[in-house]
């Protein structure tokens, strides 16, 4: 992924415009991650024609103000396929996050590095918000059913 940002959360990019040579084609609706490999797969983009499309993260250049793409052909009509490969952060929000056998809290968001790895999960705990560094012991124990 080409990026002007070193890392980002889904909250950072949702509603950010998708632009091709300065022309706005849509906006980010959600981020799709693979909760098993803890990698971001791409963005769900709500396009100007009100259809959702998938933008592979590797084809996105995320800056502070927009997500730039090099071609409109990168916006794929395959959102259901990629949702089946992973989950949107919105669908995962509220799921139990574990570090080994201990419950760390419930998922609020993910922090994605420039290379697409989920490097931290942001969780809600009874004591407030917390960040958990992702390693082999971190898992998302249950998923909410995707919205219809």
């Amino acid at each position: 992924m080409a990026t002007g940002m070193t890392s980002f959360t889904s909250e950072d990019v949702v509603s950010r415009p998708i632009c091709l040579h300065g022309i706005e084609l849509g906006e980010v609706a959600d981020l799709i991650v693979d909760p098993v490999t803890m990698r971001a797969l791409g963005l769900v983009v709500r396009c100007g024609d009100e259809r959702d499309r998938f933008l592979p993260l590797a084809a996105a250049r995320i800056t502070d103000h927009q997500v730039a793409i090099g071609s409109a052909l990168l916006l794929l009509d395959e959102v259901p396929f990629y949702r089946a490969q992973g989950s949107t952060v919105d669908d995962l929000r509220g799921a139990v996050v574990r570090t080994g056998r201990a419950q760390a809290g419930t998922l609020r968001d993910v922090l994605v590095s420039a290379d697409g790895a989920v490097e931290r999960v942001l969780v809600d705990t009874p004591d407030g918000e917390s960040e958990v560094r992702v390693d082999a012991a971190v898992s998302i124990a249950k998923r909410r059913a995707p919205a219809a």
Side-chain angles (χ1 to χ4, degrees), residues 43-54:
L43 304 168
V44 177
V45 177
R46 174 83 25 88
C47 293
D49 63 359
E50 298 299 316
R51 293 184 59 191
D52 286 348
R53 292 188 173 83
F54 178 78

Side-chain angles (χ1 to χ4, degrees), residues 97-143:
V97 175
R98 296 191 178 278
T99 55
R101 293 182 179 204
Q103 181 172 326
T106 57
L107 185 76
R108 185 174 60 79
D109 208 340
V110 296
L111 182 69
V112 178
S113 67
D115 70 356
V118 175
E119 58 184 31
R120 296 181 191 276
V121 290
L122 311 176
V123 296
D124 290 322
T125 71
D127 297 326
E129 296 176 4
S130 180
E131 287 188 13
V132 177
R133 179 175 289 283
V134 171
D135 61 22
V138 173
S139 64
I140 299 173
K142 69 176 187 177
R143 293 171 43 181

Side-chain angles (χ1 to χ4, degrees), residues 44-105:
V44 177
V45 177
R46 174 83 25 88
C47 293
D49 63 359
E50 298 299 316
R51 293 184 59 191
D52 286 348
R53 292 188 173 83
F54 178 78
L55 175 63
L57 201 58
R61 184 171 174 277
I62 299 172
T63 69
D64 289 334
H65 305 289
Q66 69 177 5
V67 177
I69 59 174
S71 170
L73 297 175
L74 296 169
L75 296 169
L76 308 174
D77 284 322
E78 303 298 328
V79 174
F81 173 80
Y82 287 99
R83 282 183 66 127
Q85 305 307 306
S87 297
T88 65
V89 172
D90 192 48
D91 287 343
L92 291 172
R93 198 167 277 117
V96 173
V97 175
R98 296 191 178 278
T99 55
R101 293 182 179 204
Q103 181 172 326

